[in-house]
Amino acid sequence: EDSTLHQSGSGTVVYPDAKGFHVLTCRHNFETQDGKVGAGTITVHLGDETYAATIAHYSKKYDLAVLRVRTKDKLKGATLAGADDYPEGRLVEKLGFPDWKRTYGTGACLDWHTTDKSGVKSFACSIKAKVGDSGCGVFRSKDKKLVGVLRGGGEGAVCVRLAHVHEFLKEAGLE
């Protein structure tokens, strides 16, 4: 019996450097059936290029992970917004790549709410989320800066707030 776990998700390139780049995504994209974070082969697809990646850091609390890709290819990373203030009605965009196919959607921030017992807050938006969008970046429409990470949904998406993204990236040693 083949016990290989095949999952796909999306992510956003952040903090490129001379040795490669990092991809911000969701932890649950790498979760095995027993709830652990898998250590199998991870590949990142960018355009026509495919890269091997490793999990550099993850957080169950925030449902975030950052992958490390080592390459000499030079990439531009997303710019993270500075503030965590996105009132209802503010326009946002998602950019995902489920199954290596680009998906794009626009919507509006709907509300802020607590999603779990630990008090981690997410925001909801009217963007339609597809299977494989988990981990994709959510960007402010006016300046294309990253404001969150899509972690689930359907007709409306639930996103990790920017404040938690910054906390996670500090834990990972990237900020």
Side-chain angles (χ1 to χ4, degrees), residues 7 29 81 88 111 117 122 133 137 146-147 151 154 166 171-173:
Q7 293 179 210
N29 290 333
E88 290 181 30
D111 66 3
K117 296 176 198 169
S122 296
D133 275 342
L146 186 74
V147 297
R151 65 182 276 199
H166 281 295
E171 286 177 9

Side-chain angles (χ1 to χ4, degrees), residues 121-132:
K121 294 187 178 188
S122 296
F123 68 92
C125 59
S126 61
I127 296 173
K128 185 175 181 178
K130 298 178 181 180
V131 172

Side-chain angles (χ1 to χ4, degrees), residues 9 47 56 58 71 74 84-85 90 107 109 114 120 123 127 148 166 168:
Y58 64 87
T71 180
K74 302 294 181 213
D84 195 19
D85 178 26
R90 174 117 351 132
C109 290
T114 301
V120 173
F123 68 92
I127 296 173
H166 281 295
F168 169 76

Side-chain angles (χ1 to χ4, degrees), residues 163-174:
H164 296 314
V165 171
H166 281 295
E167 289 170 20
F168 169 76
L169 292 171
K170 284 179 188 169
E171 286 177 9
L174 295 172

Side-chain angles (χ1 to χ4, degrees), residues 97-170:
F97 294 89
D99 296 322
W100 308 286
K101 296 176 186 148
R102 183 176 187 235
T103 64
Y104 173 80
T106 60
C109 290
L110 299 175
D111 66 3
W112 299 88
H113 61 280
T114 301
T115 59
D116 57 32
K117 296 176 198 169
S118 67
V120 173
K121 294 187 178 188
S122 296
F123 68 92
C125 59
S126 61
I127 296 173
K128 185 175 181 178
K130 298 178 181 180
V131 172
D133 275 342
S134 289
C136 77
V138 177
F139 300 86
R140 213 168 30 202
S141 291
K142 72 175 185 175
D143 60 9
K144 309 299 187 231
K145 291 186 177 180
L146 186 74
V147 297
V149 176
L150 190 143
R151 65 182 276 199
E155 290 301 315
V158 176
C159 308
V160 179
R161 287 175 55 172
L162 183 64
H164 296 314
V165 171
H166 281 295
E167 289 170 20
F168 169 76
L169 292 171
K170 284 179 188 169

Side-chain angles (χ1 to χ4, degrees), residues 10-160:
S10 296
T12 302
V13 173
V14 294
Y15 300 111
D17 59 28
K19 296 179 183 177
F21 57 90
H22 294 87
V23 177
L24 179 63
T25 187
C26 282
R27 176 194 172 277
H28 74 257
N29 290 333
F30 308 97
E31 195 170 284
T32 61
Q33 293 173 342
D34 61 1
K36 296 180 181 173
V37 175
T41 302
I42 299 170
T43 54
V44 171
H45 301 273
L46 292 172
D48 294 332
E49 300 295 325
T50 301
Y51 303 93
T54 57
I55 298 173
H57 187 71
Y58 64 87
S59 169
K60 186 171 185 174
K61 177 179 178 181
Y62 298 128
D63 188 24
L64 292 173
V66 66
L67 308 178
R68 178 66 166 150
V69 176
R70 298 207 178 272
T71 180
K72 293 182 181 183
D73 294 350
K74 302 294 181 213
L75 297 175
K76 183 178 179 193
T79 301
L80 278 65
D84 195 19
D85 178 26
Y86 307 100
E88 290 181 30
R90 174 117 351 132
L91 295 179
V92 291
E93 305 170 357
K94 73 158 182 161
L95 181 58
F97 294 89
D99 296 322
W100 308 286
K101 296 176 186 148
R102 183 176 187 235
T103 64
Y104 173 80
T106 60
C109 290
L110 299 175
D111 66 3
W112 299 88
H113 61 280
T114 301
T115 59
D116 57 32
K117 296 176 198 169
S118 67
V120 173
K121 294 187 178 188
S122 296
F123 68 92
C125 59
S126 61
I127 296 173
K128 185 175 181 178
K130 298 178 181 180
V131 172
D133 275 342
S134 289
C136 77
V138 177
F139 300 86
R140 213 168 30 202
S141 291
K142 72 175 185 175
D143 60 9
K144 309 299 187 231
K145 291 186 177 180
L146 186 74
V147 297
V149 176
L150 190 143
R151 65 182 276 199
E155 290 301 315
V158 176
C159 308
V160 179

